[in-house]
Amino acid sequence: MEKPDPDPWEEPRKNLFSIHKLEYARGKRPDVDCILCGICRKDPEVPNLTVSETEHTVVSVNLYPYNPGHLIIFPKRHVLSYEELSDEEALEIHRGTGKAISILKKLWNVQGFNLGYNLGKNSGGSIPHIHQHIVPRFPNEAGFLDVLANSRIVIYEPYEMQKEWIRIWNEFSGS
């Protein structure tokens, strides 16, 4: 009996990495206790894509984005679980998320978002420091590689995106 062709959507997604992401996925990371804490203390070993800081939180471009404009927001304090967030940290994450969404809607006409935390070892997260993702979703973003190869390529330079985000973040009043 002949086996049916596998359904590509039942297979794990294949990712086409930049060489740097592949190294990261294989475990080549800065030798620091925590990458996000390294960003907070401006450790030179850790790539820093900070857009904005408040008293308790940092807004950063994601070094390995799912889509252009992908940000993360995290507390400066090393926090592992959602329940550990202080009211001040949670409020600053909420306000930063609202500002990021407003900017993306107004300036880039984004009409959909994925927001979320990867909580716990089995969630798919690779950094044990709580952080919220803000992933803009664009119309017709599924290209031929998404459909035929169940893969995704994101092409933009994160440090250029950081410069743009800093400029926009500092100019944006929310109006």
Side-chain angles (χ1 to χ4, degrees):
M1 178 175 235
E2 197 174 311
K3 286 175 60 176
D5 289 335
D7 181 345
W9 295 108
E10 290 180 4
E11 295 178 18
R13 174 173 277 238
K14 297 174 196 91
N15 292 299
L16 304 177
F17 295 112
S18 72
I19 189 66
H20 303 294
K21 175 64 176 186
L22 186 56
E23 291 171 358
Y24 180 86
R26 289 181 174 159
K28 184 178 180 185
R29 300 176 185 189
D31 187 21
V32 295
D33 55 337
C34 171
I35 290 174
L36 298 185
C37 289
I39 291 170
C40 293
R41 65 178 176 264
K42 306 201 180 350
D43 187 314
E45 296 294 314
V46 178
N48 192 329
L49 292 164
T50 298
V51 171
S52 178
E53 293 185 48
T54 61
E55 183 179 351
H56 300 287
T57 62
V58 172
V59 177
S60 176
V61 170
N62 191 310
L63 183 59
Y64 302 112
Y66 186 77
N67 273 341
H70 181 171
L71 296 175
I72 59 172
I73 302 179
F74 55 92
K76 291 179 176 178
R77 182 173 64 95
H78 188 73
V79 175
L80 295 177
S81 70
Y82 189 81
E83 300 88 349
E84 291 178 51
L85 284 172
S86 70
D87 290 346
E88 293 83 8
E89 290 163 336
L91 181 58
E92 287 184 15
I93 291 170
H94 171 74
R95 287 181 176 155
T97 301
K99 184 171 182 174
I101 289 171
S102 294
I103 290 169
L104 288 162
K105 282 181 173 179
K106 184 172 183 176
L107 299 180
W108 291 327
N109 197 31
V110 176
Q111 297 177 22
F113 299 89
N114 291 121
L115 304 176
Y117 296 91
N118 295 323
L119 303 173
K121 286 183 180 182
N122 298 329
S123 69
S126 62
I127 300 173
H129 181 136
I130 194 167
H131 55 286
Q132 178 179 265
H133 293 266
I134 302 168
V135 182
R137 303 306 303 258
F138 299 95
N140 304 317
E141 69 183 52
F144 77 96
L145 282 172
D146 290 284
V147 174
L148 297 178
N150 196 21
S151 302
R152 169 166 302 255
I153 299 175
V154 176
I155 302 174
Y156 80 82
E157 208 290 314
Y159 291 96
E160 291 301 316
M161 182 62 70
Q162 176 196 28
K163 289 178 191 172
E164 183 68 5
W165 263 113
I166 289 170
R167 182 187 66 76
I168 293 166
W169 194 272
N170 292 331
E171 292 176 2
F172 192 79
S173 65
S175 56

